[in-house]
Amino acid sequence: MKNIYKNIGLLIIPLLCFALSSCEKDNYDPNPAEGDFAHIISIKVKVGGLELQGKINENRKEIIFPRLPGDTDLSVVSFSGELPAGAAFESQTYDFTPDEGSSSAKKTIKVINNNRFKEYYVTLSLTVPPVGAGFLNPPVYNFSAGAGGTVYPSFSTATSARVADMDLKHVLVVGRDLSPHLLLLDELKQGIINPIALDQGGVVGGGGANRNTGRLIDGNVYIGNLTVSFMAGSNPDKVYHWNTESPELPPTVIAEYRAADIIGTPEDRYGDMMSIDLDENGDGYIFLKGNNLPSFLRIKVSNFTTTSEPTVIFPGTSLGGWAAYNGVEGASGEYLYTGHQGPMRLVNAGGSLQYTLPVATLANPDGVGARVITFNGARYLLAMNNILINATIAVYDITRGESTQEALEIFNAADAALKAPVFLFPLAMALPAGNAAVQISWAKDGNDKLYIIGSGVQAGFTIAEFLQATDTDPFDSMGEDDGYVIRTE
């Protein structure tokens, strides 16, 4: 009797499965042997007066279309195409409006045929101009030990060249034990080294060094000396100015200050590092770093060469004698105070703290000499990383956020993938801890071309050249090898 029940059970199970299969949802087989077919043979999207053919990936149940013009209204979208007899799209229209801040939307559409149906994921995208720079395999002009390069000769010792800077025509090399000079950018890009000396007439009385560090801003060369002490009777702090169009002429001393000129100045030496923030009119500040104290000598600048109002500011805990105080491009009154002995700080011109980037985000000694710049609609954080082990140029995308502080907060909260640099280039040199001068800077030709230059004591310098980002419509690159095919009616 048990065997009879067992055999009956074995007979009932397949009959039950057959009954259930007559109403089974066709989610996998696009060509069932019998019954109602529910799949897409070919498909077009109709929106805004346009009709575009789509590509179908039957294995992944995905459909993609060419990008639509950026001003297309995706709130009313319809689909047509070849379907099996009796099949129809579940809805006549769909709303593919992208979320705020996005240029694409991915939604599910359904084909129904009586008791069968099949779902497909459809992506519709709008054409928007690509933003930012293209960071994949840019040209690199390397005068450091990194990636097969050779350290530029002026950086051979810890007391020779300190930093390099650039504009769209020249590169400036400046340090203690050499005559500062210019190099033509176009020649460097060809591997030609042809120094153009800056006349040194009148560059005297430096105390610690007649010249030490400098900046190059739109044809204006600024070089500062290094004092032994800033008290009365000592050598003054000086800032010299040249024009790149006439390097053979003696410089102008645009700033010369002693302690007696500034009320309440603490005893220290100033000028181990010089940061300059000027707008397009040449207005802004020069910041000369105090060696021992967490202080800067701040000098106001007007029209590139007129200086006034020397004062000393204290932006908080010392970040080292080679700390930088760099203005945030396009955000008047905002600065990044950075060095290899502490975390990055967003401050104002008077040293007041606005935000501290946690150490865990850019672990010391990363983020040194940092700058925030914009290019082609994107915002980037430039920095020198790991300077005591392997000085490295690093670029991070911090476009998200309405303000600099919000951008840094979002960057700090992001996952590891979003915090990863979009560009890295090691200079392949460990800077001496007692002489850790580095500088990172940039020059840009509108939204067409961006140059980034990084340099450091004994490490040399490297220039990377970036063009604006380009974009490829995924529709064009997806083919049969990826499982996507076009079937026409």
Side-chain angles (χ1 to χ4, degrees):
M1 181 67 68
K2 289 182 180 179
N3 289 334
I4 294 174
Y5 290 144
K6 180 178 179 182
N7 292 334
I8 291 174
L10 292 174
L11 179 63
I12 290 174
I13 290 173
L15 289 174
L16 179 61
C17 292
F18 176 78
L20 291 174
S21 67
S22 66
C23 58
E24 182 184 1
K25 297 174 183 178
D26 175 23
N27 287 325
Y28 302 100
D29 185 0
N31 298 296
E34 59 182 359
D36 300 319
F37 294 87
H39 62 281
I40 298 174
I41 300 171
S42 68
I43 188 169
K44 292 181 180 179
V45 64
K46 296 180 179 180
V47 58
L50 296 174
E51 187 176 69
L52 300 174
Q53 190 83 43
K55 291 180 180 179
I56 304 170
N57 187 322
E58 196 65 53
N59 292 329
R60 298 177 60 179
K61 305 298 182 289
E62 287 190 350
I63 301 172
I64 59 173
F65 291 91
R67 286 179 178 165
L68 294 151
D71 58 354
T72 304
D73 181 1
L74 297 181
S75 62
V76 181
V77 174
S78 64
F79 297 98
S80 66
E82 185 180 358
L83 305 178
F89 292 104
E90 181 185 37
S91 178
Q92 292 185 350
T93 62
Y94 300 82
D95 184 353
F96 271 77
T97 302
D99 293 335
E100 185 176 356
S102 176
S103 61
S104 66
K106 185 176 184 179
K107 296 183 180 297
T108 302
I109 67 171
K110 184 184 293 186
V111 177
I112 299 176
N113 199 346
N114 291 324
N115 291 325
R116 294 184 184 273
F117 75 85
K118 182 173 288 187
E119 294 178 332
Y120 292 85
Y121 300 106
V122 175
T123 299
L124 295 181
S125 301
L126 298 174
T127 300
V128 294
V131 300
F135 289 100
L136 183 62
N137 299 322
V140 173
Y141 313 107
N142 183 23
F143 300 90
S144 75
T150 301
V151 175
Y152 188 76
S154 296
F155 285 82
S156 58
T157 71
T159 58
S160 54
R162 313 289 284 176
V163 294
D165 201 359
M166 70 179 298
D167 61 13
L168 286 174
K169 292 184 178 180
H170 295 92
V171 168
L172 169 69
V173 176
V174 59
R176 295 182 184 179
D177 298 339
L178 78 159
S179 294
H181 54 271
L182 300 169
L183 300 159
L184 287 172
L185 177 59
D186 284 344
E187 290 185 348
L188 282 180
K189 290 168 66 172
Q190 302 174 59
I192 300 171
I193 297 176
N194 184 24
I196 303 170
L198 292 167
D199 187 88
Q200 296 299 290
V203 181
V204 295
N210 289 337
R211 81 281 299 168
N212 187 53
T213 184
R215 286 293 321 278
L216 173 57
I217 303 174
D218 295 332
N220 296 276
V221 177
Y222 301 89
I223 294 178
N225 69 346
L226 179 66
T227 60
V228 175
S229 173
F230 199 55
M231 301 312 294
S234 67
N235 297 91
D237 260 299
K238 293 183 180 181
V239 178
Y240 300 89
H241 175 269
W242 289 258
N243 190 298
T244 57
E245 299 302 317
S246 52
E248 74 283 357
L249 298 180
T252 301
V253 178
I254 63 170
E256 184 172 359
Y257 295 105
R258 292 182 173 85
D261 301 314
I262 307 170
I263 298 174
T265 302
E267 183 174 1
D268 201 353
R269 79 181 196 192
Y270 291 88
D272 280 280
M273 286 297 292
M274 179 172 67
S275 305
I276 302 182
D277 174 55
L278 302 179
D279 62 19
E280 65 275 7
N281 298 315
D283 299 335
Y285 292 102
I286 296 172
F287 298 90
L288 299 171
K289 181 66 182 73
N291 182 260
N292 298 303
L293 299 175
S295 61
F296 287 85
L297 171 59
R298 189 191 70 190
I299 304 168
K300 185 177 180 180
V301 182
S302 302
N303 195 28
F304 292 103
T305 57
T306 301
T307 63
S308 61
E309 302 178 20
T311 187
V312 174
I313 62 170
F314 296 87
T317 304
S318 177
L319 301 183
W322 301 274
Y325 209 91
N326 291 321
V328 173
E329 187 192 17
S332 178
E334 291 186 344
Y335 298 82
L336 289 180
Y337 171 39
T338 62
H340 72 285
Q341 295 181 359
M344 181 184 303
R345 291 171 167 86
L346 180 66
V347 293
N348 66 15
S352 296
L353 179 66
Q354 298 177 12
Y355 177 72
T356 299
L357 191 68
V359 172
T361 303
L362 290 178
N364 302 124
D366 288 356
V368 182
R371 302 177 183 274
V372 170
I373 69 167
T374 60
F375 179 73
N376 191 32
R379 181 198 289 125
Y380 296 111
L381 173 67
L382 318 181
M384 295 298 295
N385 284 356
N386 207 21
I387 66 172
L388 302 182
I389 300 174
N390 183 6
T392 300
I393 299 170
V395 181
Y396 302 88
D397 189 334
I398 58 167
T399 300
R400 294 184 302 162
E402 294 297 320
S403 65
T404 310
Q405 180 171 337
E406 185 180 3
L408 292 175
E409 289 172 344
I410 291 173
F411 177 65
N412 175 58
D415 59 29
L418 293 177
K419 286 180 182 176
V422 294
F423 178 77
L424 286 173
F425 190 91
L427 303 187
M429 185 69 69
L431 273 63
N435 199 13
V438 295
Q439 185 162 279
I440 190 166
S441 191
W442 84 98
K444 59 183 178 179
D445 186 4
N447 289 325
D448 295 328
K449 188 175 294 186
L450 170 67
Y451 293 97
I452 294 175
I453 182 171
S455 60
V457 168
Q458 293 183 278
F461 68 90
T462 296
I463 301 168
E465 178 182 349
F466 307 96
L467 301 178
Q468 64 175 261
T470 58
D471 202 5
T472 301
D473 190 341
F475 181 87
D476 297 327
S477 60
M478 291 295 187
E480 292 187 10
D481 290 343
D482 306 293
Y484 291 88
V485 296
I486 292 179
R487 299 188 185 96
T488 57
E489 298 178 43

